[in-house]
Amino acid sequence: MDSEGSTRAPGAVEPVMSDRVVTVPNALSLLRLVLVPVFVWLLVFEHAYGWSFAILLVSGASDWADGKLARLLDQSSSLGALLDPAADRIYMIVIPICLGVRDIVPWWLIGVLIGRDLLLLAAVPILRTRGLTALPVTYVGKAATFSLMYGFPFVLGGQIDNWLGDVFHPIGWAFLIWGTGMYVWSFVQYWWQVVLVVRHVPRAR
């Protein structure tokens, strides 16, 4: 599950959320959270590009696997619904900042990505006045997050001093540029939804 949430086809059965804590998906989400400080240490302090790249690959694989396993094993839980997007959000903030510190990604791009998320948070109080906590997810937002989650690791992999770095570098920047463009466009979509909510949904009592 990516940080933009998930969408379902009309008529699809919603997963039943349980109060279970010890599940395979929750363990994978927790692993991703634990790997955050490890990633920061390896990249910022040890300059270990190869190991940092490996951690991002493992994190990306676990991000895909936890949602898949939650459905296959019928282990959707309320805790998992919080852990998974929280881990995604933390990665989307920590990874670009660390890449900026190492001069791998320009700070203006980092500012665009983080600024977009902060401006989206500004919509939460507005939605709450209408009795809402979230907006319908857009496929552009999901595609943007997907592209960025792959773009950052491959841009980092481009720093590896061998032929793999030469291959990863253009792939990473292709994902990153495309993902950033969609990230900004999804911001416009979400705020247009906010405008429609303000116009057509009465204030909650």
PDB file of all heavy atoms in Angstrom, residues 55-92:
ATOM      1  N   ILE A  55      19.104  -1.293   1.317  1.00  0.00           N
ATOM      2  CA  ILE A  55      18.042  -1.086   2.305  1.00  0.00           C
ATOM      3  C   ILE A  55      16.785  -0.527   1.645  1.00  0.00           C
ATOM      4  O   ILE A  55      15.663  -0.938   1.954  1.00  0.00           O
ATOM      5  CB  ILE A  55      18.532  -0.138   3.422  1.00  0.00           C
ATOM      6  CG1 ILE A  55      19.470  -0.897   4.353  1.00  0.00           C
ATOM      7  CG2 ILE A  55      17.352   0.440   4.213  1.00  0.00           C
ATOM      8  CD1 ILE A  55      20.033  -0.063   5.479  1.00  0.00           C
ATOM      9  N   LEU A  56      16.964   0.400   0.711  1.00  0.00           N
ATOM     10  CA  LEU A  56      15.796   0.962   0.027  1.00  0.00           C
ATOM     11  C   LEU A  56      15.095  -0.096  -0.819  1.00  0.00           C
ATOM     12  O   LEU A  56      13.865  -0.100  -0.926  1.00  0.00           O
ATOM     13  CB  LEU A  56      16.207   2.148  -0.839  1.00  0.00           C
ATOM     14  CG  LEU A  56      16.647   3.404  -0.097  1.00  0.00           C
ATOM     15  CD1 LEU A  56      16.828   4.564  -1.066  1.00  0.00           C
ATOM     16  CD2 LEU A  56      15.646   3.779   0.985  1.00  0.00           C
ATOM     17  N   LEU A  57      15.870  -0.993  -1.411  1.00  0.00           N
ATOM     18  CA  LEU A  57      15.251  -2.079  -2.184  1.00  0.00           C
ATOM     19  C   LEU A  57      14.445  -2.998  -1.272  1.00  0.00           C
ATOM     20  O   LEU A  57      13.323  -3.401  -1.605  1.00  0.00           O
ATOM     21  CB  LEU A  57      16.326  -2.877  -2.917  1.00  0.00           C
ATOM     22  CG  LEU A  57      16.982  -2.217  -4.127  1.00  0.00           C
ATOM     23  CD1 LEU A  57      17.945  -3.197  -4.801  1.00  0.00           C
ATOM     24  CD2 LEU A  57      15.938  -1.747  -5.139  1.00  0.00           C
ATOM     25  N   VAL A  58      15.016  -3.344  -0.125  1.00  0.00           N
ATOM     26  CA  VAL A  58      14.308  -4.201   0.833  1.00  0.00           C
ATOM     27  C   VAL A  58      13.039  -3.502   1.325  1.00  0.00           C
ATOM     28  O   VAL A  58      11.969  -4.114   1.418  1.00  0.00           O
ATOM     29  CB  VAL A  58      15.218  -4.551   2.027  1.00  0.00           C
ATOM     30  CG1 VAL A  58      14.420  -5.246   3.134  1.00  0.00           C
ATOM     31  CG2 VAL A  58      16.369  -5.443   1.565  1.00  0.00           C
ATOM     32  N   SER A  59      13.145  -2.213   1.606  1.00  0.00           N
ATOM     33  CA  SER A  59      11.990  -1.452   2.079  1.00  0.00           C
ATOM     34  C   SER A  59      10.902  -1.382   1.022  1.00  0.00           C
ATOM     35  O   SER A  59       9.711  -1.530   1.324  1.00  0.00           O
ATOM     36  CB  SER A  59      12.427  -0.034   2.478  1.00  0.00           C
ATOM     37  OG  SER A  59      13.367  -0.068   3.523  1.00  0.00           O
ATOM     38  N   GLY A  60      11.316  -1.166  -0.231  1.00  0.00           N
ATOM     39  CA  GLY A  60      10.343  -1.117  -1.313  1.00  0.00           C
ATOM     40  C   GLY A  60       9.638  -2.448  -1.502  1.00  0.00           C
ATOM     41  O   GLY A  60       8.421  -2.499  -1.731  1.00  0.00           O
ATOM     42  N   ALA A  61      10.400  -3.543  -1.398  1.00  0.00           N
ATOM     43  CA  ALA A  61       9.812  -4.875  -1.547  1.00  0.00           C
ATOM     44  C   ALA A  61       8.836  -5.163  -0.407  1.00  0.00           C
ATOM     45  O   ALA A  61       7.748  -5.714  -0.626  1.00  0.00           O
ATOM     46  CB  ALA A  61      10.914  -5.931  -1.584  1.00  0.00           C
ATOM     47  N   SER A  62       9.198  -4.765   0.823  1.00  0.00           N
ATOM     48  CA  SER A  62       8.314  -5.004   1.961  1.00  0.00           C
ATOM     49  C   SER A  62       7.061  -4.137   1.874  1.00  0.00           C
ATOM     50  O   SER A  62       5.980  -4.548   2.310  1.00  0.00           O
ATOM     51  CB  SER A  62       9.052  -4.743   3.274  1.00  0.00           C
ATOM     52  OG  SER A  62       9.367  -3.376   3.412  1.00  0.00           O
ATOM     53  N   ASP A  63       7.192  -2.945   1.285  1.00  0.00           N
ATOM     54  CA  ASP A  63       6.037  -2.066   1.101  1.00  0.00           C
ATOM     55  C   ASP A  63       5.012  -2.723   0.188  1.00  0.00           C
ATOM     56  O   ASP A  63       3.799  -2.650   0.436  1.00  0.00           O
ATOM     57  CB  ASP A  63       6.507  -0.732   0.516  1.00  0.00           C
ATOM     58  CG  ASP A  63       5.365   0.259   0.378  1.00  0.00           C
ATOM     59  OD1 ASP A  63       4.441   0.201   1.208  1.00  0.00           O
ATOM     60  OD2 ASP A  63       5.395   1.078  -0.540  1.00  0.00           O
ATOM     61  N   TRP A  64       5.491  -3.369  -0.860  1.00  0.00           N
ATOM     62  CA  TRP A  64       4.583  -4.088  -1.762  1.00  0.00           C
ATOM     63  C   TRP A  64       4.036  -5.340  -1.094  1.00  0.00           C
ATOM     64  O   TRP A  64       2.853  -5.641  -1.182  1.00  0.00           O
ATOM     65  CB  TRP A  64       5.331  -4.460  -3.046  1.00  0.00           C
ATOM     66  CG  TRP A  64       4.541  -5.364  -3.935  1.00  0.00           C
ATOM     67  CD1 TRP A  64       3.596  -5.020  -4.854  1.00  0.00           C
ATOM     68  CD2 TRP A  64       4.624  -6.806  -3.989  1.00  0.00           C
ATOM     69  NE1 TRP A  64       3.082  -6.137  -5.482  1.00  0.00           N
ATOM     70  CE2 TRP A  64       3.698  -7.247  -4.970  1.00  0.00           C
ATOM     71  CE3 TRP A  64       5.392  -7.748  -3.320  1.00  0.00           C
ATOM     72  CZ2 TRP A  64       3.523  -8.588  -5.267  1.00  0.00           C
ATOM     73  CZ3 TRP A  64       5.216  -9.089  -3.614  1.00  0.00           C
ATOM     74  CH2 TRP A  64       4.287  -9.505  -4.585  1.00  0.00           C
ATOM     75  N   ALA A  65       4.898  -6.043  -0.358  1.00  0.00           N
ATOM     76  CA  ALA A  65       4.522  -7.336   0.201  1.00  0.00           C
ATOM     77  C   ALA A  65       3.512  -7.222   1.337  1.00  0.00           C
ATOM     78  O   ALA A  65       2.624  -8.070   1.461  1.00  0.00           O
ATOM     79  CB  ALA A  65       5.766  -8.075   0.698  1.00  0.00           C
ATOM     80  N   ASP A  66       3.620  -6.168   2.158  1.00  0.00           N
ATOM     81  CA  ASP A  66       2.722  -6.127   3.317  1.00  0.00           C
ATOM     82  C   ASP A  66       1.260  -5.985   2.897  1.00  0.00           C
ATOM     83  O   ASP A  66       0.382  -6.639   3.447  1.00  0.00           O
ATOM     84  CB  ASP A  66       3.138  -5.057   4.333  1.00  0.00           C
ATOM     85  CG  ASP A  66       3.102  -3.645   3.776  1.00  0.00           C
ATOM     86  OD1 ASP A  66       2.630  -3.457   2.653  1.00  0.00           O
ATOM     87  OD2 ASP A  66       3.564  -2.726   4.476  1.00  0.00           O
ATOM     88  N   GLY A  67       0.995  -5.151   1.892  1.00  0.00           N
ATOM     89  CA  GLY A  67      -0.378  -5.036   1.415  1.00  0.00           C
ATOM     90  C   GLY A  67      -0.866  -6.300   0.733  1.00  0.00           C
ATOM     91  O   GLY A  67      -2.017  -6.715   0.912  1.00  0.00           O
ATOM     92  N   LYS A  68       0.030  -6.925  -0.032  1.00  0.00           N
ATOM     93  CA  LYS A  68      -0.327  -8.156  -0.738  1.00  0.00           C
ATOM     94  C   LYS A  68      -0.637  -9.274   0.254  1.00  0.00           C
ATOM     95  O   LYS A  68      -1.641  -9.988   0.133  1.00  0.00           O
ATOM     96  CB  LYS A  68       0.835  -8.569  -1.645  1.00  0.00           C
ATOM     97  CG  LYS A  68       0.487  -9.630  -2.672  1.00  0.00           C
ATOM     98  CD  LYS A  68      -0.313  -9.045  -3.807  1.00  0.00           C
ATOM     99  CE  LYS A  68      -0.485 -10.040  -4.945  1.00  0.00           C
ATOM    100  NZ  LYS A  68      -1.333  -9.487  -6.033  1.00  0.00           N
ATOM    101  N   LEU A  69       0.236  -9.427   1.254  1.00  0.00           N
ATOM    102  CA  LEU A  69       0.048 -10.493   2.240  1.00  0.00           C
ATOM    103  C   LEU A  69      -1.163 -10.232   3.130  1.00  0.00           C
ATOM    104  O   LEU A  69      -1.819 -11.181   3.569  1.00  0.00           O
ATOM    105  CB  LEU A  69       1.313 -10.631   3.093  1.00  0.00           C
ATOM    106  CG  LEU A  69       2.536 -11.193   2.367  1.00  0.00           C
ATOM    107  CD1 LEU A  69       3.759 -11.160   3.261  1.00  0.00           C
ATOM    108  CD2 LEU A  69       2.273 -12.623   1.885  1.00  0.00           C
ATOM    109  N   ALA A  70      -1.437  -8.966   3.397  1.00  0.00           N
ATOM    110  CA  ALA A  70      -2.612  -8.656   4.214  1.00  0.00           C
ATOM    111  C   ALA A  70      -3.874  -9.181   3.557  1.00  0.00           C
ATOM    112  O   ALA A  70      -4.787  -9.678   4.236  1.00  0.00           O
ATOM    113  CB  ALA A  70      -2.711  -7.151   4.439  1.00  0.00           C
ATOM    114  N   ARG A  71      -3.924  -9.097   2.233  1.00  0.00           N
ATOM    115  CA  ARG A  71      -5.097  -9.602   1.512  1.00  0.00           C
ATOM    116  C   ARG A  71      -5.064 -11.125   1.376  1.00  0.00           C
ATOM    117  O   ARG A  71      -6.068 -11.795   1.600  1.00  0.00           O
ATOM    118  CB  ARG A  71      -5.188  -8.947   0.133  1.00  0.00           C
ATOM    119  CG  ARG A  71      -5.510  -7.453   0.188  1.00  0.00           C
ATOM    120  CD  ARG A  71      -5.743  -6.875  -1.182  1.00  0.00           C
ATOM    121  NE  ARG A  71      -4.528  -6.842  -1.981  1.00  0.00           N
ATOM    122  CZ  ARG A  71      -3.657  -5.833  -1.980  1.00  0.00           C
ATOM    123  NH1 ARG A  71      -3.874  -4.779  -1.193  1.00  0.00           N
ATOM    124  NH2 ARG A  71      -2.583  -5.863  -2.737  1.00  0.00           N
ATOM    125  N   LEU A  72      -3.907 -11.668   1.022  1.00  0.00           N
ATOM    126  CA  LEU A  72      -3.805 -13.112   0.808  1.00  0.00           C
ATOM    127  C   LEU A  72      -4.012 -13.907   2.095  1.00  0.00           C
ATOM    128  O   LEU A  72      -4.639 -14.965   2.087  1.00  0.00           O
ATOM    129  CB  LEU A  72      -2.438 -13.460   0.204  1.00  0.00           C
ATOM    130  CG  LEU A  72      -2.196 -13.020  -1.245  1.00  0.00           C
ATOM    131  CD1 LEU A  72      -0.771 -13.351  -1.671  1.00  0.00           C
ATOM    132  CD2 LEU A  72      -3.189 -13.708  -2.182  1.00  0.00           C
ATOM    133  N   LEU A  73      -3.458 -13.389   3.208  1.00  0.00           N
ATOM    134  CA  LEU A  73      -3.539 -14.102   4.483  1.00  0.00           C
ATOM    135  C   LEU A  73      -4.708 -13.646   5.341  1.00  0.00           C
ATOM    136  O   LEU A  73      -4.871 -14.122   6.459  1.00  0.00           O
ATOM    137  CB  LEU A  73      -2.233 -13.904   5.271  1.00  0.00           C
ATOM    138  CG  LEU A  73      -0.940 -14.353   4.574  1.00  0.00           C
ATOM    139  CD1 LEU A  73       0.270 -14.037   5.440  1.00  0.00           C
ATOM    140  CD2 LEU A  73      -0.998 -15.849   4.259  1.00  0.00           C
ATOM    141  N   ASP A  74      -5.514 -12.715   4.803  1.00  0.00           N
ATOM    142  CA  ASP A  74      -6.633 -12.155   5.550  1.00  0.00           C
ATOM    143  C   ASP A  74      -6.147 -11.602   6.886  1.00  0.00           C
ATOM    144  O   ASP A  74      -6.701 -11.910   7.947  1.00  0.00           O
ATOM    145  CB  ASP A  74      -7.715 -13.217   5.770  1.00  0.00           C
ATOM    146  CG  ASP A  74      -9.011 -12.597   6.297  1.00  0.00           C
ATOM    147  OD1 ASP A  74      -9.221 -11.383   6.070  1.00  0.00           O
ATOM    148  OD2 ASP A  74      -9.801 -13.320   6.952  1.00  0.00           O
ATOM    149  N   GLN A  75      -5.093 -10.781   6.834  1.00  0.00           N
ATOM    150  CA  GLN A  75      -4.498 -10.224   8.047  1.00  0.00           C
ATOM    151  C   GLN A  75      -4.543  -8.695   8.050  1.00  0.00           C
ATOM    152  O   GLN A  75      -3.670  -8.037   8.599  1.00  0.00           O
ATOM    153  CB  GLN A  75      -3.052 -10.707   8.204  1.00  0.00           C
ATOM    154  CG  GLN A  75      -2.926 -12.189   8.503  1.00  0.00           C
ATOM    155  CD  GLN A  75      -1.506 -12.599   8.827  1.00  0.00           C
ATOM    156  OE1 GLN A  75      -0.559 -11.840   8.651  1.00  0.00           O
ATOM    157  NE2 GLN A  75      -1.347 -13.826   9.299  1.00  0.00           N
ATOM    158  N   SER A  76      -5.568  -8.133   7.432  1.00  0.00           N
ATOM    159  CA  SER A  76      -5.754  -6.683   7.511  1.00  0.00           C
ATOM    160  C   SER A  76      -6.093  -6.303   8.943  1.00  0.00           C
ATOM    161  O   SER A  76      -6.899  -6.965   9.593  1.00  0.00           O
ATOM    162  CB  SER A  76      -6.879  -6.234   6.583  1.00  0.00           C
ATOM    163  OG  SER A  76      -6.555  -6.511   5.234  1.00  0.00           O
ATOM    164  N   SER A  77      -5.458  -5.261   9.454  1.00  0.00           N
ATOM    165  CA  SER A  77      -5.681  -4.874  10.848  1.00  0.00           C
ATOM    166  C   SER A  77      -5.703  -3.356  10.966  1.00  0.00           C
ATOM    167  O   SER A  77      -5.186  -2.633  10.114  1.00  0.00           O
ATOM    168  CB  SER A  77      -4.583  -5.445  11.753  1.00  0.00           C
ATOM    169  OG  SER A  77      -3.329  -4.868  11.444  1.00  0.00           O
ATOM    170  N   SER A  78      -6.300  -2.896  12.056  1.00  0.00           N
ATOM    171  CA  SER A  78      -6.350  -1.461  12.311  1.00  0.00           C
ATOM    172  C   SER A  78      -4.950  -0.894  12.513  1.00  0.00           C
ATOM    173  O   SER A  78      -4.643   0.207  12.052  1.00  0.00           O
ATOM    174  CB  SER A  78      -7.208  -1.183  13.551  1.00  0.00           C
ATOM    175  OG  SER A  78      -8.530  -1.653  13.361  1.00  0.00           O
ATOM    176  N   LEU A  79      -4.084  -1.652  13.190  1.00  0.00           N
ATOM    177  CA  LEU A  79      -2.712  -1.199  13.392  1.00  0.00           C
ATOM    178  C   LEU A  79      -1.980  -1.099  12.065  1.00  0.00           C
ATOM    179  O   LEU A  79      -1.246  -0.140  11.817  1.00  0.00           O
ATOM    180  CB  LEU A  79      -1.972  -2.166  14.326  1.00  0.00           C
ATOM    181  CG  LEU A  79      -0.496  -1.838  14.583  1.00  0.00           C
ATOM    182  CD1 LEU A  79      -0.353  -0.470  15.243  1.00  0.00           C
ATOM    183  CD2 LEU A  79       0.147  -2.937  15.435  1.00  0.00           C
ATOM    184  N   GLY A  80      -2.198  -2.081  11.199  1.00  0.00           N
ATOM    185  CA  GLY A  80      -1.545  -2.061   9.886  1.00  0.00           C
ATOM    186  C   GLY A  80      -1.994  -0.890   9.039  1.00  0.00           C
ATOM    187  O   GLY A  80      -1.197  -0.317   8.292  1.00  0.00           O
ATOM    188  N   ALA A  81      -3.271  -0.509   9.188  1.00  0.00           N
ATOM    189  CA  ALA A  81      -3.789   0.628   8.433  1.00  0.00           C
ATOM    190  C   ALA A  81      -3.116   1.924   8.860  1.00  0.00           C
ATOM    191  O   ALA A  81      -3.120   2.903   8.107  1.00  0.00           O
ATOM    192  CB  ALA A  81      -5.302   0.735   8.616  1.00  0.00           C
ATOM    193  N   LEU A  82      -2.538   1.951  10.057  1.00  0.00           N
ATOM    194  CA  LEU A  82      -1.799   3.125  10.531  1.00  0.00           C
ATOM    195  C   LEU A  82      -0.308   3.009  10.245  1.00  0.00           C
ATOM    196  O   LEU A  82       0.334   3.971   9.816  1.00  0.00           O
ATOM    197  CB  LEU A  82      -2.017   3.299  12.042  1.00  0.00           C
ATOM    198  CG  LEU A  82      -3.434   3.630  12.500  1.00  0.00           C
ATOM    199  CD1 LEU A  82      -3.506   3.636  14.016  1.00  0.00           C
ATOM    200  CD2 LEU A  82      -3.879   4.973  11.947  1.00  0.00           C
ATOM    201  N   LEU A  83       0.256   1.817  10.485  1.00  0.00           N
ATOM    202  CA  LEU A  83       1.698   1.624  10.334  1.00  0.00           C
ATOM    203  C   LEU A  83       2.167   1.802   8.901  1.00  0.00           C
ATOM    204  O   LEU A  83       3.183   2.460   8.639  1.00  0.00           O
ATOM    205  CB  LEU A  83       2.097   0.220  10.814  1.00  0.00           C
ATOM    206  CG  LEU A  83       2.324   0.004  12.297  1.00  0.00           C
ATOM    207  CD1 LEU A  83       2.706  -1.445  12.558  1.00  0.00           C
ATOM    208  CD2 LEU A  83       3.414   0.938  12.814  1.00  0.00           C
ATOM    209  N   ASP A  84       1.441   1.215   7.961  1.00  0.00           N
ATOM    210  CA  ASP A  84       1.891   1.206   6.565  1.00  0.00           C
ATOM    211  C   ASP A  84       1.999   2.609   5.982  1.00  0.00           C
ATOM    212  O   ASP A  84       3.062   3.008   5.492  1.00  0.00           O
ATOM    213  CB  ASP A  84       0.957   0.324   5.740  1.00  0.00           C
ATOM    214  CG  ASP A  84       1.456   0.153   4.315  1.00  0.00           C
ATOM    215  OD1 ASP A  84       2.686   0.132   4.120  1.00  0.00           O
ATOM    216  OD2 ASP A  84       0.626   0.044   3.404  1.00  0.00           O
ATOM    217  N   PRO A  85       0.929   3.428   6.018  1.00  0.00           N
ATOM    218  CA  PRO A  85       1.063   4.790   5.477  1.00  0.00           C
ATOM    219  C   PRO A  85       2.022   5.650   6.288  1.00  0.00           C
ATOM    220  O   PRO A  85       2.673   6.542   5.730  1.00  0.00           O
ATOM    221  CB  PRO A  85      -0.363   5.339   5.512  1.00  0.00           C
ATOM    222  CG  PRO A  85      -1.085   4.494   6.490  1.00  0.00           C
ATOM    223  CD  PRO A  85      -0.464   3.144   6.429  1.00  0.00           C
ATOM    224  N   ALA A  86       2.132   5.380   7.607  1.00  0.00           N
ATOM    225  CA  ALA A  86       3.085   6.146   8.422  1.00  0.00           C
ATOM    226  C   ALA A  86       4.509   5.870   7.965  1.00  0.00           C
ATOM    227  O   ALA A  86       5.332   6.791   7.842  1.00  0.00           O
ATOM    228  CB  ALA A  86       2.920   5.785   9.898  1.00  0.00           C
ATOM    229  N   ALA A  87       4.808   4.595   7.710  1.00  0.00           N
ATOM    230  CA  ALA A  87       6.149   4.241   7.226  1.00  0.00           C
ATOM    231  C   ALA A  87       6.410   4.883   5.867  1.00  0.00           C
ATOM    232  O   ALA A  87       7.510   5.395   5.609  1.00  0.00           O
ATOM    233  CB  ALA A  87       6.285   2.715   7.137  1.00  0.00           C
ATOM    234  N   ASP A  88       5.423   4.870   4.995  1.00  0.00           N
ATOM    235  CA  ASP A  88       5.571   5.492   3.672  1.00  0.00           C
ATOM    236  C   ASP A  88       5.874   6.981   3.807  1.00  0.00           C
ATOM    237  O   ASP A  88       6.756   7.517   3.132  1.00  0.00           O
ATOM    238  CB  ASP A  88       4.293   5.306   2.844  1.00  0.00           C
ATOM    239  CG  ASP A  88       4.114   3.879   2.368  1.00  0.00           C
ATOM    240  OD1 ASP A  88       5.113   3.149   2.320  1.00  0.00           O
ATOM    241  OD2 ASP A  88       2.981   3.500   2.050  1.00  0.00           O
ATOM    242  N   ARG A  89       5.116   7.665   4.687  1.00  0.00           N
ATOM    243  CA  ARG A  89       5.288   9.097   4.852  1.00  0.00           C
ATOM    244  C   ARG A  89       6.678   9.421   5.382  1.00  0.00           C
ATOM    245  O   ARG A  89       7.318  10.366   4.945  1.00  0.00           O
ATOM    246  CB  ARG A  89       4.264   9.612   5.858  1.00  0.00           C
ATOM    247  CG  ARG A  89       3.202  10.549   5.397  1.00  0.00           C
ATOM    248  CD  ARG A  89       3.577  11.516   4.333  1.00  0.00           C
ATOM    249  NE  ARG A  89       2.560  11.419   3.315  1.00  0.00           N
ATOM    250  CZ  ARG A  89       2.782  11.268   2.045  1.00  0.00           C
ATOM    251  NH1 ARG A  89       3.981  11.233   1.565  1.00  0.00           N
ATOM    252  NH2 ARG A  89       1.812  11.164   1.194  1.00  0.00           N
ATOM    253  N   ILE A  90       7.123   8.635   6.365  1.00  0.00           N
ATOM    254  CA  ILE A  90       8.449   8.870   6.948  1.00  0.00           C
ATOM    255  C   ILE A  90       9.529   8.691   5.881  1.00  0.00           C
ATOM    256  O   ILE A  90      10.462   9.497   5.778  1.00  0.00           O
ATOM    257  CB  ILE A  90       8.693   7.921   8.140  1.00  0.00           C
ATOM    258  CG1 ILE A  90       7.794   8.321   9.306  1.00  0.00           C
ATOM    259  CG2 ILE A  90      10.160   7.948   8.564  1.00  0.00           C
ATOM    260  CD1 ILE A  90       7.801   7.353  10.459  1.00  0.00           C
ATOM    261  N   TYR A  91       9.399   7.647   5.073  1.00  0.00           N
ATOM    262  CA  TYR A  91      10.380   7.421   4.015  1.00  0.00           C
ATOM    263  C   TYR A  91      10.370   8.551   2.998  1.00  0.00           C
ATOM    264  O   TYR A  91      11.420   8.978   2.509  1.00  0.00           O
ATOM    265  CB  TYR A  91      10.116   6.079   3.318  1.00  0.00           C
ATOM    266  CG  TYR A  91      10.905   4.939   3.908  1.00  0.00           C
ATOM    267  CD1 TYR A  91      10.395   4.207   4.970  1.00  0.00           C
ATOM    268  CD2 TYR A  91      12.166   4.597   3.417  1.00  0.00           C
ATOM    269  CE1 TYR A  91      11.116   3.171   5.530  1.00  0.00           C
ATOM    270  CE2 TYR A  91      12.892   3.572   3.973  1.00  0.00           C
ATOM    271  CZ  TYR A  91      12.368   2.849   5.026  1.00  0.00           C
ATOM    272  OH  TYR A  91      13.087   1.827   5.587  1.00  0.00           O
ATOM    273  N   MET A  92       9.178   9.054   2.675  1.00  0.00           N
ATOM    274  CA  MET A  92       9.081  10.116   1.671  1.00  0.00           C
ATOM    275  C   MET A  92       9.663  11.438   2.170  1.00  0.00           C
ATOM    276  O   MET A  92       9.904  12.344   1.386  1.00  0.00           O
ATOM    277  CB  MET A  92       7.619  10.312   1.266  1.00  0.00           C
ATOM    278  CG  MET A  92       7.061   9.194   0.403  1.00  0.00           C
ATOM    279  SD  MET A  92       7.959   9.018  -1.175  1.00  0.00           S
ATOM    280  CE  MET A  92       7.549  10.564  -1.964  1.00  0.00           C
TER     281      MET A  92
END
